[in-house]
Amino acid sequence: MKITELITKETIKLHLESKEKADVIDELVQKLDEAGKLNNRKAFKEAIMARESQSTTGIGEGIAIPHAKTAAVQFPAIAFGRSVDGLDYDSLDGQSSKLFFMIAASEGANNEHLETLSRLSAFLMDMNFREGLLHAKDEDEIIAMINEKEEAEEAGKEVPLETEKDQPLLLAVTACPTGIAHTYMAADSLKAKAAELGMLLKVETNGSSGVKNKLTSTEIEKATAIIVAADKQVEMERFSGKTLIQVPVAQAIRNPESLLKDAAAKKGTVYNPGNRPSGSENEGKTKQKSAFYRHLMNGVSNMLPFVVGGGILIAISFMFGIHSADPKDPSYSQFAAALDTIGGKTAFALMVAVLAGFIARSIADSPGFAPGMVGGFLASTGQSGFLGGLIAGFLAGYIVLGLKRLLAWLPTSLEGIKPVLLYPVFGILLTGLIMIFVINGPVHALNVALSDWLQGLGKGNAILVGLLLGGMMAIDMGGPINKAAFTFGIAMIDAGNFAPHAAIMAGGMVPPLGLAIATTIFKNKFTKQEREAGKTCYVMGLSFITEGAIPFAAADPGRVIPSIVAGSATAGALTMLFGIGLRAPHGGVFVIPFVEGNPLLYGLAILIGAIVTAVLVGFWKKPVQQ
């Protein structure tokens, strides 16, 4: 939702009369009420004051952003007030506040007020923008300024972040494989800590909907240091010559303060795209492992839309019957066959090629993409499947890197033909030959052997496999171990064995669901903010977004992580015990009706796992001191 959809002339007050914090809040609440945005003025003010009791919303630099999400709001809105002389609002930096944005979000607004708060905070870090708001002549000028700022952001224009003289500027980039949870949690964690420390920070997010709040060339040039908290490839060439701190995205969520202080002290490595950073042998090994994971996750993240979209379409086709796409079957439906063609024969047929293409692109940039795609497609058609696609991606990427070095002696006049002729021809040729004559045969045999082994497991051994896969989904909640289990499950679906992924999805749904139940039952063990987050966890758990458990695990890892692992492992083991199979690799509660086996028993396995987590959390956590 755009800010300019929420601020209107009726919710702007350019001349606040109040001199005290409580009176300013009264004025802004009254403005919203008069504009018809509230259905209970008293309840809304109570919600605003309850938020202020947790911590002040005076973020510094003369700005305060009181906000609340409550059923007392009839229509989401923002009230803007201005006090030219300023007043004491208990700001983090101790300065008087002059600009006030009161955000009113309705209870079912899907956290719109938090998203709007993030955008407002980023805009208000621009000194020129703040000055413009302070000196605007009327309401129309205020709205025009905000609209121009948002349009510039949406169009990807450079909107320089102005800093005070001699004030250090820190920049950050956050990115995770799926771009759903970790990316934005890391950004919020860094921004919150920067505000607390009085540091000037801008964060670019590389999420599922694209790059937001993109760092400009001017900002990069002025920056003291740049934090790259990412588990997938981000645009790095622009940081050449700058002090860089590269860490996994989870580190920005769990330890933002040390990252920001290290960045302010320039305790990083000067980035040079052409050279490896120097360091000890152990550091080198760690970076190589990190690079491997980053390349892998870049492939997985770009493959996910094909997996999710294709898998759910396949699951919907099952509504007409498991064999309804087969013209020879009595249950045949033309529409079900169309869904199966779109989801299974097209989206799923492309996913391995896309995986390999983007792994290769992550390693060798754009020249690696075509060889990777071709290698991945050969893996699909050559029956080496998902594992073959993984190998094809890395193979193509490093072949192209080798070609770059091998052809470096060519004269500069031939530089232009390398990416359009030499790299594609030799890259595709070499990757293709190796896939056909070396990789496909042995990997196909390995896939068949692994699938046969899993199908031949006795009930007891199958339960142990489910226990292991379910537990892996909860250990790092979207990190390398979680993604390793998820990737294995997709490989097994590709090989025709649907039981492992049923355990994996059950294990991934349990952590947020278990914590949601715990916050509902054991209210005295959680803060008000955690109980509110628990409501969101119901939705995230049902949607198979394990990352919803991260804030709870980060706040109390010693109690929360063992509890969610136990619950997820229980759910995974039960799915194997109940003989459940899952053809759709994603979808959460929406694909449960289409599982192989009894869907009620599958739902029961997930529910039991969530209850195990909830009970353990409730038992181990201590009551919150009110």
Side-chain angles (χ1 to χ4, degrees):
M1 179 174 282
K2 296 179 66 174
I3 299 170
T4 48
E5 293 178 35
L6 301 177
I7 291 183
T8 64
K9 292 171 70 172
E10 291 73 25
T11 62
I12 295 176
K13 189 165 187 177
L14 292 180
H15 304 288
L16 290 171
E17 301 168 4
S18 305
K19 303 298 180 185
E20 301 291 336
K21 176 177 178 176
D23 296 332
V24 167
I25 289 174
D26 270 333
E27 272 194 81
L28 294 175
V29 170
Q30 180 179 348
K31 196 69 178 171
L32 288 168
D33 193 38
E34 290 173 351
K37 305 300 182 181
L38 308 178
N39 54 39
N40 190 325
R41 175 177 169 176
K42 181 181 177 183
F44 177 69
K45 183 185 175 183
E46 288 175 354
I48 288 286
M49 298 308 293
R51 171 62 186 85
E52 292 295 325
S53 69
Q54 295 173 10
S55 63
T56 181
T57 56
I59 63 174
E61 301 294 338
I63 304 159
I65 312 179
H67 56 277
K69 182 179 179 181
T70 168
V73 175
Q74 186 172 8
F75 303 106
I78 299 176
F80 170 68
R82 185 176 69 184
S83 172
V84 177
D85 295 330
L87 58 95
D88 183 10
Y89 197 89
D90 300 328
S91 295
L92 291 171
D93 60 359
Q95 296 182 24
S96 296
S97 296
K98 298 181 178 181
L99 302 174
F100 302 87
F101 289 85
M102 179 174 281
I103 299 176
S106 56
E107 198 163 54
N110 194 24
N111 287 335
E112 285 173 331
H113 72 307
L114 294 177
E115 295 173 9
T116 307
L117 175 64
S118 297
R119 293 209 307 280
L120 266 179
S121 300
F123 291 171
L124 292 169
M125 282 163 42
D126 183 343
M127 183 178 64
N128 288 343
F129 184 64
R130 297 198 303 269
E131 289 296 317
L133 293 176
L134 277 173
H135 297 102
K137 296 176 182 177
D138 54 34
E139 291 87 350
D140 288 330
E141 190 174 344
I142 294 285
I143 291 172
M145 285 184 62
I146 297 172
N147 193 51
E148 182 182 349
K149 195 80 170 173
E150 285 208 299
E151 286 177 355
E153 181 193 54
E154 289 175 4
K157 296 176 183 176
E158 291 194 355
V159 183
L161 182 66
E162 298 293 337
T163 66
E164 305 287 350
K165 198 171 184 179
D166 300 326
Q167 184 180 16
L169 170 65
L170 304 180
L171 303 178
V173 179
T174 62
C176 67
T178 57
I180 296 173
H182 282 71
T183 300
Y184 303 105
M185 291 175 180
D188 290 344
S189 178
L190 287 167
K191 286 189 283 190
K193 186 56 68 174
E196 180 184 321
L197 297 173
M199 294 179 173
L200 187 62
L201 171 73
K202 178 177 178 180
V203 184
E204 170 187 300
T205 55
N206 287 232
S208 57
S209 57
V211 175
K212 297 295 176 71
N213 208 28
K214 189 175 179 66
L215 305 180
T216 68
S217 56
T218 303
E219 292 159 357
I220 293 169
E221 183 181 348
K222 291 181 179 180
T224 301
I226 302 159
I227 299 166
V228 178
D231 286 339
K232 72 171 188 176
Q233 186 186 43
V234 298
E235 185 187 345
M236 296 293 291
E237 299 290 326
R238 53 188 168 153
F239 302 139
S240 180
K242 300 301 298 186
T243 298
L244 219 62
I245 298 175
Q246 288 184 265
V247 296
V249 68
Q251 193 165 330
I253 298 171
R254 294 169 182 165
N255 201 6
E257 183 171 351
S258 66
L259 285 177
L260 290 166
K261 288 182 176 179
D262 285 350
K266 300 188 76 170
K267 292 182 179 178
T269 304
V270 176
Y271 181 68
N272 184 344
N275 297 327
R276 269 193 181 282
S278 60
S280 68
E281 185 179 344
N282 288 337
E283 286 175 343
K285 288 179 181 176
T286 301
K287 291 187 182 197
Q288 286 174 11
K289 289 178 183 176
S290 175
F292 175 85
Y293 177 66
R294 189 169 63 252
H295 300 322
L296 174 61
M297 288 301 103
N298 195 57
V300 170
S301 65
N302 283 286
M303 178 194 69
L304 267 181
F306 295 85
V307 173
V308 176
I312 291 178
L313 289 176
I314 293 170
I316 293 173
S317 76
F318 296 156
M319 292 175 65
F320 301 89
I322 292 296
H323 302 292
S324 58
D326 184 358
K328 298 177 182 178
D329 193 86
S331 65
Y332 173 72
S333 162
Q334 188 175 5
F335 183 68
L339 291 176
D340 184 65
T341 298
I342 296 167
K345 295 184 176 65
T346 306
F348 257 42
L350 287 170
M351 74 173 185
V352 173
V354 169
L355 170 77
F358 278 97
I359 288 175
R361 188 178 188 275
S362 177
I363 295 168
D365 295 322
S366 297
F369 187 67
M373 284 284 290
V374 172
F377 189 72
L378 287 170
S380 293
T381 57
Q383 297 185 303
S384 62
F386 192 83
L387 182 56
L390 286 176
I391 295 171
F394 285 98
L395 174 67
Y398 287 112
I399 281 176
V400 173
L401 276 187
L403 288 171
K404 286 183 177 182
R405 293 177 183 173
L406 190 64
L407 300 175
W409 61 271
L410 289 175
T412 308
S413 59
L414 297 178
E415 197 68 30
I417 71 167
K418 289 181 182 179
V420 297
L421 177 62
L422 299 180
Y423 297 150
V425 170
F426 290 108
I428 290 173
L429 174 65
L430 293 173
T431 302
L433 289 173
I434 295 172
M435 289 301 298
I436 291 171
F437 293 110
V438 179
I439 304 297
N440 279 347
V443 174
H444 172 57
L446 177 62
N447 283 336
V448 171
L450 181 58
S451 182
D452 288 346
W453 175 73
L454 284 169
Q455 289 174 351
L457 285 175
K459 184 67 75 173
N461 287 332
I463 291 171
L464 288 176
V465 171
L467 191 83
L468 174 64
L469 291 173
M472 287 174 69
M473 292 299 291
I475 288 175
D476 56 357
M477 297 153 285
I481 298 173
N482 171 287
K483 287 296 184 291
F486 182 74
T487 301
F488 175 76
I490 295 175
M492 288 299 95
I493 290 176
D494 192 46
N497 190 312
F498 308 116
H501 204 75
I504 286 162
M505 193 169 81
M509 293 172 69
V510 161
L513 284 176
L515 288 163
I517 294 170
T519 59
T520 302
I521 298 175
F522 305 104
K523 293 184 178 181
N524 65 323
K525 303 292 183 77
F526 299 91
T527 65
K528 182 178 179 182
Q529 187 176 5
E530 287 174 330
R531 293 197 299 272
E532 288 297 315
K535 296 175 184 176
T536 306
C537 278
Y538 279 112
V539 178
M540 298 184 82
L542 292 173
S543 303
F544 184 33
I545 301 174
T546 317
E547 289 91 338
I550 287 175
F552 296 91
D556 192 1
R559 295 181 178 89
V560 171
I561 291 177
S563 301
I564 61 178
V565 170
S568 292
T570 300
L574 287 173
T575 64
M576 289 292 196
L577 176 64
F578 296 152
I580 307 297
L582 181 65
R583 291 172 178 262
H586 213 289
V589 70
F590 304 105
V591 298
I592 288 178
F594 314 123
V595 299
E596 294 187 351
N598 191 323
L600 293 178
L601 287 178
Y602 190 44
L604 179 64
I606 295 168
L607 179 61
I608 291 173
I611 291 172
V612 168
T613 288
V615 170
L616 289 175
V617 169
F619 176 75
W620 279 331
K621 280 186 73 71
K622 297 179 180 178
V624 173
Q625 298 296 323
Q626 302 293 340

